[in-house]
PDB file of all heavy atoms in Angstrom:
ATOM      1  N   LEU A 900     -58.068  67.342 -58.757  1.00  0.00           N
ATOM      2  CA  LEU A 900     -58.374  68.589 -59.371  1.00  0.00           C
ATOM      3  C   LEU A 900     -57.223  69.278 -60.073  1.00  0.00           C
ATOM      4  O   LEU A 900     -56.059  69.223 -59.571  1.00  0.00           O
ATOM      5  CB  LEU A 900     -58.808  69.539 -58.200  1.00  0.00           C
ATOM      6  CG  LEU A 900     -60.021  69.200 -57.369  1.00  0.00           C
ATOM      7  CD1 LEU A 900     -60.254  70.115 -56.303  1.00  0.00           C
ATOM      8  CD2 LEU A 900     -61.337  69.058 -58.200  1.00  0.00           C
ATOM      9  N   ARG A 901     -57.454  69.723 -61.271  1.00  0.00           N
ATOM     10  CA  ARG A 901     -56.491  70.400 -62.097  1.00  0.00           C
ATOM     11  C   ARG A 901     -56.671  71.875 -61.702  1.00  0.00           C
ATOM     12  O   ARG A 901     -57.778  72.338 -61.896  1.00  0.00           O
ATOM     13  CB  ARG A 901     -56.484  70.172 -63.427  1.00  0.00           C
ATOM     14  CG  ARG A 901     -56.577  68.661 -63.858  1.00  0.00           C
ATOM     15  CD  ARG A 901     -55.051  68.179 -64.080  1.00  0.00           C
ATOM     16  NE  ARG A 901     -55.107  66.782 -64.654  1.00  0.00           N
ATOM     17  CZ  ARG A 901     -54.899  65.663 -63.880  1.00  0.00           C
ATOM     18  NH1 ARG A 901     -54.571  65.846 -62.600  1.00  0.00           N
ATOM     19  NH2 ARG A 901     -54.963  64.470 -64.417  1.00  0.00           N
ATOM     20  N   LEU A 902     -55.698  72.661 -61.393  1.00  0.00           N
ATOM     21  CA  LEU A 902     -55.823  74.070 -60.863  1.00  0.00           C
ATOM     22  C   LEU A 902     -55.106  74.917 -61.849  1.00  0.00           C
ATOM     23  O   LEU A 902     -54.119  74.580 -62.526  1.00  0.00           O
ATOM     24  CB  LEU A 902     -55.234  74.205 -59.495  1.00  0.00           C
ATOM     25  CG  LEU A 902     -55.942  73.299 -58.453  1.00  0.00           C
ATOM     26  CD1 LEU A 902     -55.076  73.443 -57.177  1.00  0.00           C
ATOM     27  CD2 LEU A 902     -57.420  73.775 -58.189  1.00  0.00           C
ATOM     28  N   PRO A 903     -55.643  76.176 -61.976  1.00  0.00           N
ATOM     29  CA  PRO A 903     -54.909  77.264 -62.676  1.00  0.00           C
ATOM     30  C   PRO A 903     -53.489  77.332 -62.108  1.00  0.00           C
ATOM     31  O   PRO A 903     -53.341  77.255 -60.957  1.00  0.00           O
ATOM     32  CB  PRO A 903     -55.805  78.561 -62.593  1.00  0.00           C
ATOM     33  CG  PRO A 903     -57.126  78.011 -62.070  1.00  0.00           C
ATOM     34  CD  PRO A 903     -56.894  76.704 -61.390  1.00  0.00           C
ATOM     35  N   PRO A 904     -52.520  77.870 -63.043  1.00  0.00           N
ATOM     36  CA  PRO A 904     -51.241  77.990 -62.467  1.00  0.00           C
ATOM     37  C   PRO A 904     -50.943  78.833 -61.265  1.00  0.00           C
ATOM     38  O   PRO A 904     -50.295  78.457 -60.348  1.00  0.00           O
ATOM     39  CB  PRO A 904     -50.428  78.608 -63.684  1.00  0.00           C
ATOM     40  CG  PRO A 904     -51.323  78.182 -64.931  1.00  0.00           C
ATOM     41  CD  PRO A 904     -52.678  78.128 -64.470  1.00  0.00           C
ATOM     42  N   ARG A 905     -51.755  79.972 -61.162  1.00  0.00           N
ATOM     43  CA  ARG A 905     -51.529  80.830 -60.029  1.00  0.00           C
ATOM     44  C   ARG A 905     -52.172  80.199 -58.761  1.00  0.00           C
ATOM     45  O   ARG A 905     -51.511  80.263 -57.658  1.00  0.00           O
ATOM     46  CB  ARG A 905     -52.238  82.187 -60.326  1.00  0.00           C
ATOM     47  CG  ARG A 905     -52.038  83.171 -59.176  1.00  0.00           C
ATOM     48  CD  ARG A 905     -50.664  83.655 -58.884  1.00  0.00           C
ATOM     49  NE  ARG A 905     -50.529  84.433 -57.833  1.00  0.00           N
ATOM     50  CZ  ARG A 905     -49.683  84.407 -56.794  1.00  0.00           C
ATOM     51  NH1 ARG A 905     -48.758  83.410 -56.814  1.00  0.00           N
ATOM     52  NH2 ARG A 905     -49.678  85.098 -55.757  1.00  0.00           N
ATOM     53  N   VAL A 906     -53.302  79.587 -58.798  1.00  0.00           N
ATOM     54  CA  VAL A 906     -53.857  78.904 -57.690  1.00  0.00           C
ATOM     55  C   VAL A 906     -52.908  77.636 -57.193  1.00  0.00           C
ATOM     56  O   VAL A 906     -52.721  77.541 -56.116  1.00  0.00           O
ATOM     57  CB  VAL A 906     -55.289  78.354 -58.026  1.00  0.00           C
ATOM     58  CG1 VAL A 906     -55.817  77.587 -56.884  1.00  0.00           C
ATOM     59  CG2 VAL A 906     -56.213  79.621 -58.416  1.00  0.00           C
ATOM     60  N   ASP A 907     -52.407  77.082 -58.254  1.00  0.00           N
ATOM     61  CA  ASP A 907     -51.521  75.982 -58.056  1.00  0.00           C
ATOM     62  C   ASP A 907     -50.303  76.412 -57.271  1.00  0.00           C
ATOM     63  O   ASP A 907     -49.799  75.746 -56.256  1.00  0.00           O
ATOM     64  CB  ASP A 907     -51.073  75.300 -59.301  1.00  0.00           C
ATOM     65  CG  ASP A 907     -50.286  74.080 -59.238  1.00  0.00           C
ATOM     66  OD1 ASP A 907     -50.756  73.177 -58.488  1.00  0.00           O
ATOM     67  OD2 ASP A 907     -49.182  73.997 -59.770  1.00  0.00           O
ATOM     68  N   GLN A 908     -49.761  77.603 -57.556  1.00  0.00           N
ATOM     69  CA  GLN A 908     -48.503  78.107 -56.932  1.00  0.00           C
ATOM     70  C   GLN A 908     -48.823  78.542 -55.428  1.00  0.00           C
ATOM     71  O   GLN A 908     -48.096  78.210 -54.536  1.00  0.00           O
ATOM     72  CB  GLN A 908     -48.118  79.337 -57.685  1.00  0.00           C
ATOM     73  CG  GLN A 908     -46.687  79.802 -57.211  1.00  0.00           C
ATOM     74  CD  GLN A 908     -45.677  78.723 -57.432  1.00  0.00           C
ATOM     75  OE1 GLN A 908     -45.679  77.995 -58.405  1.00  0.00           O
ATOM     76  NE2 GLN A 908     -44.704  78.698 -56.545  1.00  0.00           N
ATOM     77  N   LEU A 909     -50.074  79.170 -55.262  1.00  0.00           N
ATOM     78  CA  LEU A 909     -50.455  79.508 -53.955  1.00  0.00           C
ATOM     79  C   LEU A 909     -50.660  78.271 -53.075  1.00  0.00           C
ATOM     80  O   LEU A 909     -50.288  78.233 -51.890  1.00  0.00           O
ATOM     81  CB  LEU A 909     -51.850  80.293 -54.028  1.00  0.00           C
ATOM     82  CG  LEU A 909     -51.763  81.748 -54.502  1.00  0.00           C
ATOM     83  CD1 LEU A 909     -53.139  82.273 -54.706  1.00  0.00           C
ATOM     84  CD2 LEU A 909     -50.940  82.622 -53.551  1.00  0.00           C
ATOM     85  N   LEU A 910     -51.273  77.213 -53.573  1.00  0.00           N
ATOM     86  CA  LEU A 910     -51.462  75.979 -52.837  1.00  0.00           C
ATOM     87  C   LEU A 910     -50.148  75.342 -52.570  1.00  0.00           C
ATOM     88  O   LEU A 910     -49.920  74.772 -51.400  1.00  0.00           O
ATOM     89  CB  LEU A 910     -52.273  74.967 -53.577  1.00  0.00           C
ATOM     90  CG  LEU A 910     -53.535  74.472 -52.861  1.00  0.00           C
ATOM     91  CD1 LEU A 910     -54.494  75.515 -52.633  1.00  0.00           C
ATOM     92  CD2 LEU A 910     -54.057  73.294 -53.550  1.00  0.00           C
ATOM     93  N   LEU A 911     -49.135  75.399 -53.389  1.00  0.00           N
ATOM     94  CA  LEU A 911     -47.745  74.864 -53.172  1.00  0.00           C
ATOM     95  C   LEU A 911     -47.152  75.635 -52.007  1.00  0.00           C
ATOM     96  O   LEU A 911     -46.602  74.977 -51.083  1.00  0.00           O
ATOM     97  CB  LEU A 911     -46.881  74.922 -54.430  1.00  0.00           C
ATOM     98  CG  LEU A 911     -45.560  74.293 -54.304  1.00  0.00           C
ATOM     99  CD1 LEU A 911     -45.688  72.771 -53.928  1.00  0.00           C
ATOM    100  CD2 LEU A 911     -44.780  74.422 -55.599  1.00  0.00           C
ATOM    101  N   GLU A 912     -47.236  76.933 -52.005  1.00  0.00           N
ATOM    102  CA  GLU A 912     -46.660  77.723 -50.934  1.00  0.00           C
ATOM    103  C   GLU A 912     -47.398  77.389 -49.575  1.00  0.00           C
ATOM    104  O   GLU A 912     -46.709  77.198 -48.701  1.00  0.00           O
ATOM    105  CB  GLU A 912     -46.807  79.223 -51.252  1.00  0.00           C
ATOM    106  CG  GLU A 912     -45.981  79.709 -52.365  1.00  0.00           C
ATOM    107  CD  GLU A 912     -46.253  81.148 -52.716  1.00  0.00           C
ATOM    108  OE1 GLU A 912     -46.937  81.997 -51.841  1.00  0.00           O
ATOM    109  OE2 GLU A 912     -45.995  81.454 -53.897  1.00  0.00           O
ATOM    110  N   GLN A 913     -48.762  77.248 -49.614  1.00  0.00           N
ATOM    111  CA  GLN A 913     -49.394  76.875 -48.264  1.00  0.00           C
ATOM    112  C   GLN A 913     -48.978  75.532 -47.923  1.00  0.00           C
ATOM    113  O   GLN A 913     -48.768  75.344 -46.691  1.00  0.00           O
ATOM    114  CB  GLN A 913     -50.876  76.947 -48.627  1.00  0.00           C
ATOM    115  CG  GLN A 913     -51.660  76.552 -47.460  1.00  0.00           C
ATOM    116  CD  GLN A 913     -51.527  77.358 -46.170  1.00  0.00           C
ATOM    117  OE1 GLN A 913     -51.271  78.560 -46.311  1.00  0.00           O
ATOM    118  NE2 GLN A 913     -51.688  76.836 -44.929  1.00  0.00           N
ATOM    119  N   TRP A 914     -48.756  74.576 -48.777  1.00  0.00           N
ATOM    120  CA  TRP A 914     -48.423  73.215 -48.465  1.00  0.00           C
ATOM    121  C   TRP A 914     -46.916  73.248 -47.766  1.00  0.00           C
ATOM    122  O   TRP A 914     -46.818  72.613 -46.838  1.00  0.00           O
ATOM    123  CB  TRP A 914     -48.277  72.356 -49.690  1.00  0.00           C
ATOM    124  CG  TRP A 914     -47.875  71.036 -49.423  1.00  0.00           C
ATOM    125  CD1 TRP A 914     -46.669  70.457 -49.590  1.00  0.00           C
ATOM    126  CD2 TRP A 914     -48.609  69.974 -48.769  1.00  0.00           C
ATOM    127  NE1 TRP A 914     -46.603  69.165 -49.207  1.00  0.00           N
ATOM    128  CE2 TRP A 914     -47.783  68.731 -48.761  1.00  0.00           C
ATOM    129  CE3 TRP A 914     -49.845  69.822 -48.359  1.00  0.00           C
ATOM    130  CZ2 TRP A 914     -48.279  67.572 -48.115  1.00  0.00           C
ATOM    131  CZ3 TRP A 914     -50.381  68.586 -47.803  1.00  0.00           C
ATOM    132  CH2 TRP A 914     -49.445  67.546 -47.644  1.00  0.00           C
ATOM    133  N   LYS A 915     -46.111  74.016 -48.277  1.00  0.00           N
ATOM    134  CA  LYS A 915     -44.715  74.162 -47.607  1.00  0.00           C
ATOM    135  C   LYS A 915     -44.826  74.660 -46.339  1.00  0.00           C
ATOM    136  O   LYS A 915     -44.094  74.213 -45.374  1.00  0.00           O
ATOM    137  CB  LYS A 915     -43.871  75.016 -48.588  1.00  0.00           C
ATOM    138  CG  LYS A 915     -43.494  74.224 -49.897  1.00  0.00           C
ATOM    139  CD  LYS A 915     -42.621  75.225 -50.767  1.00  0.00           C
ATOM    140  CE  LYS A 915     -42.293  74.652 -52.126  1.00  0.00           C
ATOM    141  NZ  LYS A 915     -41.596  75.435 -52.957  1.00  0.00           N
ATOM    142  N   ILE A 916     -45.647  75.741 -46.149  1.00  0.00           N
ATOM    143  CA  ILE A 916     -45.782  76.254 -44.767  1.00  0.00           C
ATOM    144  C   ILE A 916     -46.375  75.355 -43.736  1.00  0.00           C
ATOM    145  O   ILE A 916     -45.898  75.071 -42.571  1.00  0.00           O
ATOM    146  CB  ILE A 916     -46.655  77.579 -44.794  1.00  0.00           C
ATOM    147  CG1 ILE A 916     -45.958  78.779 -45.577  1.00  0.00           C
ATOM    148  CG2 ILE A 916     -47.015  78.065 -43.439  1.00  0.00           C
ATOM    149  CD1 ILE A 916     -46.757  79.915 -45.919  1.00  0.00           C
ATOM    150  N   SER A 917     -47.456  74.586 -44.139  1.00  0.00           N
ATOM    151  CA  SER A 917     -48.103  73.654 -43.288  1.00  0.00           C
ATOM    152  C   SER A 917     -47.062  72.498 -43.012  1.00  0.00           C
ATOM    153  O   SER A 917     -47.197  71.937 -41.917  1.00  0.00           O
ATOM    154  CB  SER A 917     -49.376  73.198 -43.812  1.00  0.00           C
ATOM    155  OG  SER A 917     -49.285  72.444 -45.003  1.00  0.00           O
ATOM    156  N   ALA A 918     -46.346  72.071 -44.031  1.00  0.00           N
ATOM    157  CA  ALA A 918     -45.390  70.961 -43.856  1.00  0.00           C
ATOM    158  C   ALA A 918     -44.341  71.380 -42.815  1.00  0.00           C
ATOM    159  O   ALA A 918     -43.920  70.510 -41.941  1.00  0.00           O
ATOM    160  CB  ALA A 918     -44.771  70.492 -45.104  1.00  0.00           C
ATOM    161  N   GLU A 919     -43.930  72.637 -42.880  1.00  0.00           N
ATOM    162  CA  GLU A 919     -42.945  72.995 -41.899  1.00  0.00           C
ATOM    163  C   GLU A 919     -43.510  72.990 -40.389  1.00  0.00           C
ATOM    164  O   GLU A 919     -42.799  72.585 -39.556  1.00  0.00           O
ATOM    165  CB  GLU A 919     -42.414  74.485 -42.192  1.00  0.00           C
ATOM    166  CG  GLU A 919     -41.582  74.487 -43.446  1.00  0.00           C
ATOM    167  CD  GLU A 919     -41.163  75.907 -43.828  1.00  0.00           C
ATOM    168  OE1 GLU A 919     -41.481  76.902 -42.988  1.00  0.00           O
ATOM    169  OE2 GLU A 919     -40.773  76.206 -44.897  1.00  0.00           O
ATOM    170  N   ARG A 920     -44.749  73.507 -40.227  1.00  0.00           N
ATOM    171  CA  ARG A 920     -45.333  73.511 -38.909  1.00  0.00           C
ATOM    172  C   ARG A 920     -45.519  71.970 -38.528  1.00  0.00           C
ATOM    173  O   ARG A 920     -45.365  71.683 -37.329  1.00  0.00           O
ATOM    174  CB  ARG A 920     -46.656  74.201 -38.968  1.00  0.00           C
ATOM    175  CG  ARG A 920     -46.506  75.632 -39.002  1.00  0.00           C
ATOM    176  CD  ARG A 920     -47.924  76.315 -38.819  1.00  0.00           C
ATOM    177  NE  ARG A 920     -48.418  75.943 -37.618  1.00  0.00           N
ATOM    178  CZ  ARG A 920     -49.754  76.031 -37.260  1.00  0.00           C
ATOM    179  NH1 ARG A 920     -50.670  76.383 -38.271  1.00  0.00           N
ATOM    180  NH2 ARG A 920     -50.312  75.731 -36.051  1.00  0.00           N
ATOM    181  N   TRP A 921     -45.862  71.140 -39.416  1.00  0.00           N
ATOM    182  CA  TRP A 921     -46.135  69.639 -39.141  1.00  0.00           C
ATOM    183  C   TRP A 921     -44.869  69.003 -38.526  1.00  0.00           C
ATOM    184  O   TRP A 921     -44.983  68.183 -37.714  1.00  0.00           O
ATOM    185  CB  TRP A 921     -46.771  68.999 -40.267  1.00  0.00           C
ATOM    186  CG  TRP A 921     -46.890  67.572 -40.074  1.00  0.00           C
ATOM    187  CD1 TRP A 921     -47.985  66.966 -39.379  1.00  0.00           C
ATOM    188  CD2 TRP A 921     -46.059  66.483 -40.658  1.00  0.00           C
ATOM    189  NE1 TRP A 921     -47.755  65.607 -39.395  1.00  0.00           N
ATOM    190  CE2 TRP A 921     -46.675  65.274 -40.152  1.00  0.00           C
ATOM    191  CE3 TRP A 921     -44.988  66.551 -41.465  1.00  0.00           C
ATOM    192  CZ2 TRP A 921     -46.181  63.993 -40.529  1.00  0.00           C
ATOM    193  CZ3 TRP A 921     -44.489  65.143 -41.866  1.00  0.00           C
ATOM    194  CH2 TRP A 921     -45.096  63.991 -41.394  1.00  0.00           C
ATOM    195  N   THR A 922     -43.698  69.388 -39.123  1.00  0.00           N
ATOM    196  CA  THR A 922     -42.514  68.652 -38.702  1.00  0.00           C
ATOM    197  C   THR A 922     -42.198  68.878 -37.266  1.00  0.00           C
ATOM    198  O   THR A 922     -41.560  68.149 -36.593  1.00  0.00           O
ATOM    199  CB  THR A 922     -41.249  69.152 -39.567  1.00  0.00           C
ATOM    200  OG1 THR A 922     -41.144  70.582 -39.404  1.00  0.00           O
ATOM    201  CG2 THR A 922     -41.365  68.805 -40.960  1.00  0.00           C
ATOM    202  N   VAL A 923     -42.606  69.986 -36.685  1.00  0.00           N
ATOM    203  CA  VAL A 923     -42.535  70.249 -35.226  1.00  0.00           C
ATOM    204  C   VAL A 923     -43.364  69.257 -34.424  1.00  0.00           C
ATOM    205  O   VAL A 923     -42.897  68.849 -33.342  1.00  0.00           O
ATOM    206  CB  VAL A 923     -42.935  71.657 -34.943  1.00  0.00           C
ATOM    207  CG1 VAL A 923     -42.910  71.890 -33.430  1.00  0.00           C
ATOM    208  CG2 VAL A 923     -42.046  72.643 -35.639  1.00  0.00           C
ATOM    209  N   ASN A 924     -44.443  68.804 -34.980  1.00  0.00           N
ATOM    210  CA  ASN A 924     -45.403  67.946 -34.166  1.00  0.00           C
ATOM    211  C   ASN A 924     -45.865  66.718 -34.885  1.00  0.00           C
ATOM    212  O   ASN A 924     -47.012  66.357 -35.108  1.00  0.00           O
ATOM    213  CB  ASN A 924     -46.641  68.811 -33.784  1.00  0.00           C
ATOM    214  CG  ASN A 924     -47.461  68.243 -32.747  1.00  0.00           C
ATOM    215  OD1 ASN A 924     -47.027  67.226 -32.123  1.00  0.00           O
ATOM    216  ND2 ASN A 924     -48.660  68.708 -32.469  1.00  0.00           N
ATOM    217  N   GLN A 925     -44.834  65.901 -35.414  1.00  0.00           N
ATOM    218  CA  GLN A 925     -45.131  64.779 -36.338  1.00  0.00           C
ATOM    219  C   GLN A 925     -45.708  63.685 -35.521  1.00  0.00           C
ATOM    220  O   GLN A 925     -46.335  62.775 -36.073  1.00  0.00           O
ATOM    221  CB  GLN A 925     -43.838  64.278 -36.933  1.00  0.00           C
ATOM    222  CG  GLN A 925     -43.387  65.187 -38.068  1.00  0.00           C
ATOM    223  CD  GLN A 925     -42.136  64.521 -38.862  1.00  0.00           C
ATOM    224  OE1 GLN A 925     -41.779  63.397 -38.531  1.00  0.00           O
ATOM    225  NE2 GLN A 925     -41.507  65.357 -39.631  1.00  0.00           N
ATOM    226  N   THR A 926     -45.450  63.590 -34.265  1.00  0.00           N
ATOM    227  CA  THR A 926     -45.965  62.476 -33.489  1.00  0.00           C
ATOM    228  C   THR A 926     -47.527  62.430 -33.383  1.00  0.00           C
ATOM    229  O   THR A 926     -48.141  61.433 -33.144  1.00  0.00           O
ATOM    230  CB  THR A 926     -45.391  62.466 -32.103  1.00  0.00           C
ATOM    231  OG1 THR A 926     -45.729  63.790 -31.501  1.00  0.00           O
ATOM    232  CG2 THR A 926     -43.896  62.298 -32.099  1.00  0.00           C
ATOM    233  N   ALA A 927     -48.109  63.597 -33.598  1.00  0.00           N
ATOM    234  CA  ALA A 927     -49.567  63.671 -33.390  1.00  0.00           C
ATOM    235  C   ALA A 927     -50.368  63.307 -34.618  1.00  0.00           C
ATOM    236  O   ALA A 927     -51.589  63.056 -34.574  1.00  0.00           O
ATOM    237  CB  ALA A 927     -50.013  65.131 -32.892  1.00  0.00           C
ATOM    238  N   SER A 928     -49.730  63.394 -35.791  1.00  0.00           N
ATOM    239  CA  SER A 928     -50.512  63.132 -37.017  1.00  0.00           C
ATOM    240  C   SER A 928     -49.524  62.473 -38.001  1.00  0.00           C
ATOM    241  O   SER A 928     -48.260  62.694 -38.025  1.00  0.00           O
ATOM    242  CB  SER A 928     -50.920  64.408 -37.673  1.00  0.00           C
ATOM    243  OG  SER A 928     -51.505  64.196 -38.857  1.00  0.00           O
ATOM    244  N   THR A 929     -50.084  61.520 -38.883  1.00  0.00           N
ATOM    245  CA  THR A 929     -49.227  60.892 -39.894  1.00  0.00           C
ATOM    246  C   THR A 929     -48.930  61.700 -41.088  1.00  0.00           C
ATOM    247  O   THR A 929     -47.936  61.517 -41.801  1.00  0.00           O
ATOM    248  CB  THR A 929     -49.895  59.621 -40.259  1.00  0.00           C
ATOM    249  OG1 THR A 929     -51.240  59.936 -40.791  1.00  0.00           O
ATOM    250  CG2 THR A 929     -50.030  58.651 -39.175  1.00  0.00           C
ATOM    251  N   THR A 930     -49.818  62.702 -41.512  1.00  0.00           N
ATOM    252  CA  THR A 930     -49.540  63.598 -42.534  1.00  0.00           C
ATOM    253  C   THR A 930     -49.883  65.040 -42.233  1.00  0.00           C
ATOM    254  O   THR A 930     -50.853  65.245 -41.398  1.00  0.00           O
ATOM    255  CB  THR A 930     -50.357  63.150 -43.777  1.00  0.00           C
ATOM    256  OG1 THR A 930     -51.800  63.228 -43.360  1.00  0.00           O
ATOM    257  CG2 THR A 930     -50.035  61.698 -44.332  1.00  0.00           C
ATOM    258  N   PRO A 931     -49.277  65.919 -42.834  1.00  0.00           N
ATOM    259  CA  PRO A 931     -49.510  67.364 -42.622  1.00  0.00           C
ATOM    260  C   PRO A 931     -50.823  67.722 -43.242  1.00  0.00           C
ATOM    261  O   PRO A 931     -51.216  67.277 -44.287  1.00  0.00           O
ATOM    262  CB  PRO A 931     -48.405  68.114 -43.141  1.00  0.00           C
ATOM    263  CG  PRO A 931     -47.795  67.230 -44.274  1.00  0.00           C
ATOM    264  CD  PRO A 931     -48.129  65.841 -43.845  1.00  0.00           C
ATOM    265  N   TRP A 932     -51.648  68.635 -42.692  1.00  0.00           N
ATOM    266  CA  TRP A 932     -52.902  69.174 -43.157  1.00  0.00           C
ATOM    267  C   TRP A 932     -52.425  70.373 -44.035  1.00  0.00           C
ATOM    268  O   TRP A 932     -51.530  71.062 -43.788  1.00  0.00           O
ATOM    269  CB  TRP A 932     -53.805  69.717 -42.076  1.00  0.00           C
ATOM    270  CG  TRP A 932     -54.324  68.562 -41.230  1.00  0.00           C
ATOM    271  CD1 TRP A 932     -53.849  68.157 -40.040  1.00  0.00           C
ATOM    272  CD2 TRP A 932     -55.430  67.911 -41.492  1.00  0.00           C
ATOM    273  NE1 TRP A 932     -54.639  67.183 -39.595  1.00  0.00           N
ATOM    274  CE2 TRP A 932     -55.600  66.909 -40.568  1.00  0.00           C
ATOM    275  CE3 TRP A 932     -56.370  67.702 -42.577  1.00  0.00           C
ATOM    276  CZ2 TRP A 932     -56.623  65.990 -40.488  1.00  0.00           C
ATOM    277  CZ3 TRP A 932     -57.425  66.915 -42.537  1.00  0.00           C
ATOM    278  CH2 TRP A 932     -57.655  65.969 -41.555  1.00  0.00           C
ATOM    279  N   LEU A 933     -53.251  70.554 -45.147  1.00  0.00           N
ATOM    280  CA  LEU A 933     -52.996  71.741 -46.017  1.00  0.00           C
ATOM    281  C   LEU A 933     -53.286  72.970 -45.238  1.00  0.00           C
ATOM    282  O   LEU A 933     -52.519  73.993 -45.422  1.00  0.00           O
ATOM    283  CB  LEU A 933     -53.896  71.667 -47.214  1.00  0.00           C
ATOM    284  CG  LEU A 933     -53.719  72.725 -48.305  1.00  0.00           C
ATOM    285  CD1 LEU A 933     -52.297  72.878 -48.749  1.00  0.00           C
ATOM    286  CD2 LEU A 933     -54.650  72.575 -49.462  1.00  0.00           C
ATOM    287  N   PHE A 934     -54.352  72.957 -44.495  1.00  0.00           N
ATOM    288  CA  PHE A 934     -54.741  74.155 -43.663  1.00  0.00           C
ATOM    289  C   PHE A 934     -54.782  73.684 -42.268  1.00  0.00           C
ATOM    290  O   PHE A 934     -55.754  73.317 -41.691  1.00  0.00           O
ATOM    291  CB  PHE A 934     -56.124  74.732 -44.083  1.00  0.00           C
ATOM    292  CG  PHE A 934     -56.091  75.282 -45.481  1.00  0.00           C
ATOM    293  CD1 PHE A 934     -56.631  74.579 -46.603  1.00  0.00           C
ATOM    294  CD2 PHE A 934     -55.417  76.475 -45.856  1.00  0.00           C
ATOM    295  CE1 PHE A 934     -56.617  74.990 -47.769  1.00  0.00           C
ATOM    296  CE2 PHE A 934     -55.385  76.952 -47.128  1.00  0.00           C
ATOM    297  CZ  PHE A 934     -56.002  76.252 -48.075  1.00  0.00           C
ATOM    298  N   PRO A 935     -53.545  73.654 -41.566  1.00  0.00           N
ATOM    299  CA  PRO A 935     -53.549  73.148 -40.222  1.00  0.00           C
ATOM    300  C   PRO A 935     -54.246  74.200 -39.237  1.00  0.00           C
ATOM    301  O   PRO A 935     -54.325  75.427 -39.504  1.00  0.00           O
ATOM    302  CB  PRO A 935     -52.113  73.140 -39.867  1.00  0.00           C
ATOM    303  CG  PRO A 935     -51.446  74.149 -40.791  1.00  0.00           C
ATOM    304  CD  PRO A 935     -52.370  74.100 -41.997  1.00  0.00           C
TER     305      PRO A 935
END
């Protein structure tokens, strides 16, 4: 999906937040969820 720039920016911010939470619990999942 190609997204509008503002939606793209919001998704990138959400991805960073979920990736940070995922690093705490990497053993339970191989990849972080966008919406954990």
Side-chain angles (χ1 to χ4, degrees):
L900 301 176
R901 308 269 188 258
L902 302 171
R905 180 66 184 133
V906 175
D907 188 51
Q908 193 62 34
L909 289 171
L910 233 66
L911 185 60
E912 290 172 20
Q913 177 63 30
W914 179 258
K915 289 176 182 176
I916 291 168
S917 66
E919 287 174 12
R920 284 189 60 201
W921 175 73
T922 55
V923 174
N924 197 7
Q925 286 185 12
T926 58
S928 176
T929 56
T930 57
W932 291 96
L933 180 59
F934 298 104

